[in-house]
Amino acid sequence: MKIAIKATRETDCTCDVLILPFIEEGTNPYRRLKPSLSRLVAKVWNHEFSGKKQEVLLVPAPEDIRPRRILFLGLGKKEALSPEQVRQAGGKALAYLRDLGMRKPAFSTILVTALKQSPADFVEGALLGLYQYEKYRSEKSGKKIAAFTIIARPSRKLTQDIRRVETLAAAVAFARDLVNAPANEMTPTGLARAATSLKRKTLSVKVLGNKEMEKLGMGAYLAISYGSAEPPKFIVLEYRGSRKPPVVLIGKSITFDSGGLSLKPSDNMEKMKYDMAGGAAVLGVMKAAAEMKLPVHLVGLLPATENLPGGCATRPGDVVRSLSGKTVEIVNTDAEGRLALADALAYAKRFNPAAIIDIATLTGACAITFGGEAMAMMGNDRSLLDAFRTAGEKTYERVWEMPLLEEYKEYLKSDIADMRNVGTRIGSLMASAYFLYEFAGQTPWVHLDIAGTAWVEKDRPYLPKGASGIGVRLIYAILDPL
Ligand code: BES
Ligand code: MN
Ligand code: ZN
């Protein structure tokens, strides 16, 4: 889809539908446009259409203006207006028009600008909301928005902001595609291929295979892979936009989580293809950072493997030695994510990182606690945690901090090894993070549990059902704060 900023008058715009946003009540924001249009607005607004958020009404345009249709679009109450409301309106409007077969909408920025909101947020919502995953459908919908016009005076700021949201939306779509792909396509090898596709001058990609990992001693992560015929792949990306010590991003990349011998129930097991959503988010961030040429040094680590109960599978009770040297009793093979992350955290230390961020669909408890509304966050560095809090509010990829109390250490005591990989069900959201903390040590570190937010059960304004791509916009906002 092509996006253009044009300084035309609304009534002269070449488009098949003109989008006019409204708040509830107030004065007609379009009274300075042609009388015929202003009259139409007066007739419709506060009659058939009131401007409630997410309200849409498509009507034929007056004869004497260029656009053939007008979309009345509600933004809700003026007091409640926020970047997120604008984003949601963009998501709703464009998906709605697309589904009706429109191809060339134009958006009037008169109102959002007057209300000190950014048109770029509208574009961001639109792009995120237009996402579709049709790869395996023989009959594609065929409905596509071909061109989208933003009616505004072009400025450097607006052009840059739109370029940023376009890059981010593409990175989110990239992540969503990886997560929506079935696990027979998105194997560890498939994920490594996707990562390799991001290679460019400033972004290197290296993939470690079984032999190298055994030699390094990644016993915790490798233990997950024994039950699967698919070879594990440890994917290492590096983007050098600065010479400073890097921020290391670690993404859980279990391409399918059956639970292993601690087998999951079959209900909903098909969803466990999304257990690599953390890894997908990391790839999305690396892609966006490289495309935007951010002045940051980033390392991405994706310990990819399947978790299956094959003949060589790890048994409950097995003890492994992790890369850090700590031994772990694997009491439950379904608590596999933390094993992979433990070795990735230890590997991260080689880069002498300024900070480590891990993102993972780690616990069912996280989904039960927050539903799809927020991700759980834990960490050891107040200023980094606060930065995430702020970025979460800005991007609406909201985070909520849970406590990392030292007493949780007790939950993970093993009778025969340094630690066990699970406690009991009690406090499991925090205990899982505490397990990671043992490997993160003193490096500033934040852990994000996206088990509840990585998959969308029901369409939302700019989050179509399926993979959300969550984490990309959030982590990007930390690296490139506005
Ligand atoms: N990948 C799952 C967590 C998960 C559950 C993500 C539901 C998304 C939706 C993880 O590997 C897992 O199985 N965790 C277990 C840990 C338990 C055995 C301590 C859980 O949370 O049930
Ligand atoms: Mn599991
Ligand atoms: Zn898992």
Side-chain angles (χ1 to χ4, degrees):
M1 175 173 103
K2 266 191 63 175
I3 300 178
I5 306 169
K6 282 192 198 143
T8 115
R9 223 171 304 155
E10 272 72 359
T11 43
D12 295 334
C13 179
T14 9
C15 59
D16 52 16
V17 49
L18 171 65
I19 304 170
L20 295 182
F22 289 86
I23 50 170
E24 291 179 62
E25 293 153 8
T27 46
N28 179 351
Y30 306 109
R31 63 190 179 283
R32 296 226 181 89
L33 300 179
K34 269 203 174 146
S36 61
L37 182 56
S38 189
R39 272 199 306 276
L40 174 71
V41 168
K43 218 166 84 190
V44 172
W45 186 37
N46 293 327
H47 301 281
E48 289 99 296
F49 169 89
S50 58
K52 287 201 193 65
K53 70 174 181 187
Q54 297 287 303
E55 189 182 353
V56 283
L57 181 67
L58 189 65
V59 301
E63 288 295 336
D64 63 346
I65 73 169
R66 200 117 179 234
R68 292 317 326 131
R69 296 177 181 80
I70 309 286
L71 181 75
F72 285 76
L73 174 63
L75 296 179
K77 293 224 157 58
K78 184 176 170 186
E79 310 79 66
L81 196 61
S82 63
E84 175 62 10
Q85 288 311 335
V86 175
R87 225 179 267 131
Q88 290 191 8
K92 168 78 191 204
L94 273 276
Y96 176 78
L97 294 174
R98 186 238 355 244
D99 294 344
L100 289 174
M102 308 280 117
R103 296 180 51 80
K104 292 181 177 169
F107 173 62
S108 166
T109 59
I110 293 175
L111 181 68
V112 286
T113 309
L115 296 173
K116 308 248 175 316
Q117 299 291 322
S118 167
D121 290 320
F122 190 88
V123 176
E124 183 174 43
L127 293 170
L128 292 170
L130 286 171
Y131 174 85
Q132 280 175 307
Y133 185 74
E134 294 196 304
K135 180 165 180 187
Y136 289 97
R137 288 212 193 279
S138 308
E139 259 172 64
K140 318 281 184 213
S141 84
K143 293 173 178 163
K144 286 262 143 50
I145 302 284
F148 183 27
T149 305
I150 314 299
I151 307 174
R153 199 166 350 103
S155 70
R156 231 173 104 188
K157 168 100 172 68
L158 185 57
T159 308
Q160 278 171 354
D161 286 351
I162 287 184
R163 173 157 171 260
R164 194 190 69 247
V165 298
E166 275 189 281
T167 308
L168 275 172
V172 170
F174 181 79
R176 285 178 181 172
D177 278 349
L178 302 181
V179 179
N180 282 326
N184 60 331
E185 174 194 337
M186 204 44 62
T187 58
T189 306
L191 194 57
R193 197 174 303 127
T196 306
S197 78
L198 297 179
K199 242 187 204 166
R200 67 192 73 193
K201 239 211 247 129
T202 52
L203 179 65
S204 68
V205 183
K206 176 168 92 174
V207 180
L208 308 185
N210 245 318
K211 282 228 180 72
E212 285 158 283
M213 299 191 284
E214 268 163 31
K215 215 158 103 202
L216 284 167
M218 296 180 150
Y221 155 55
L222 286 177
I224 308 164
S225 71
Y226 298 151
S228 165
E230 287 290 338
K233 302 285 175 191
F234 192 91
I235 306 162
V236 184
L237 304 95
E238 186 163 12
Y239 164 68
R240 280 182 174 278
S242 116
R243 291 172 182 281
K244 293 208 201 99
V247 174
V248 178
L249 309 177
I250 301 176
K252 176 174 171 181
S253 302
I254 304 298
T255 58
F256 188 75
D257 181 13
S258 73
L261 283 173
S262 312
L263 195 64
K264 288 184 182 293
S266 50
D267 269 1
N268 292 320
M269 199 203 271
E270 78 286 355
K271 293 246 303 280
M272 279 300 118
K273 68 175 185 180
Y274 88 81
D275 216 13
M276 37 60 74
V282 168
L283 293 185
V285 174
M286 302 289 303
K287 174 174 152 73
E291 275 166 22
M292 293 301 290
K293 301 195 168 70
L294 289 191
V296 293
H297 183 186
L298 286 181
V299 170
L301 302 177
L302 280 70
T305 175
E306 287 190 320
N307 186 23
L308 294 187
C312 300
T314 293
R315 294 152 287 253
D318 284 0
V319 175
V320 296
R321 186 177 299 277
S322 69
L323 180 59
S324 73
K326 286 195 206 339
T327 57
V328 180
E329 181 189 0
I330 302 178
V331 172
N332 188 322
T333 64
D334 196 12
E336 83 296 338
R338 60 199 78 183
L339 299 171
L341 296 178
D343 280 348
L345 285 162
Y347 191 83
K349 300 274 177 169
R350 320 177 139 216
F351 297 93
N352 183 30
I356 304 178
I357 297 162
D358 83 70
I359 177 163
T361 45
L362 203 63
T363 66
C366 177
I368 288 168
T369 306
F370 295 105
E373 313 311 325
M375 60 186 105
M377 167 174 83
M378 281 147 279
N380 60 6
D381 185 277
R382 180 46 45 204
S383 65
L384 193 56
L385 288 162
D386 288 345
F388 268 97
R389 181 71 195 270
T390 308
E393 279 160 17
K394 273 200 190 136
T395 56
Y396 219 64
E397 297 197 338
R398 291 167 296 175
V399 299
W400 200 264
E401 188 181 350
M402 300 300 268
L404 202 63
L405 309 172
E406 61 180 313
E407 284 75 6
Y408 289 119
K409 193 179 168 85
E410 296 289 316
Y411 292 36
L412 301 167
K413 280 228 159 103
S414 163
D415 291 334
I416 67 164
D418 296 336
M419 317 161 67
R420 29 192 282 157
N421 72 330
V422 291
T424 60
R425 279 159 54 90
I426 289 166
S428 69
L429 174 56
M430 281 70 68
S432 69
Y434 204 93
F435 183 91
L436 302 178
Y437 178 43
E438 295 279 359
F439 297 88
Q442 291 317 301
T443 309
W445 155 76
V446 160
H447 159 62
L448 304 168
D449 193 334
I450 54 168
T453 43
W455 193 263
V456 182
E457 297 293 345
K458 226 177 86 199
D459 282 349
R460 291 177 172 224
Y462 58 84
L463 293 167
K465 189 170 160 184
S468 65
I470 198 160
V472 176
R473 292 169 54 244
L474 176 73
I475 296 173
Y476 185 90
I478 292 283
L479 302 171
D480 184 19
L482 289 181

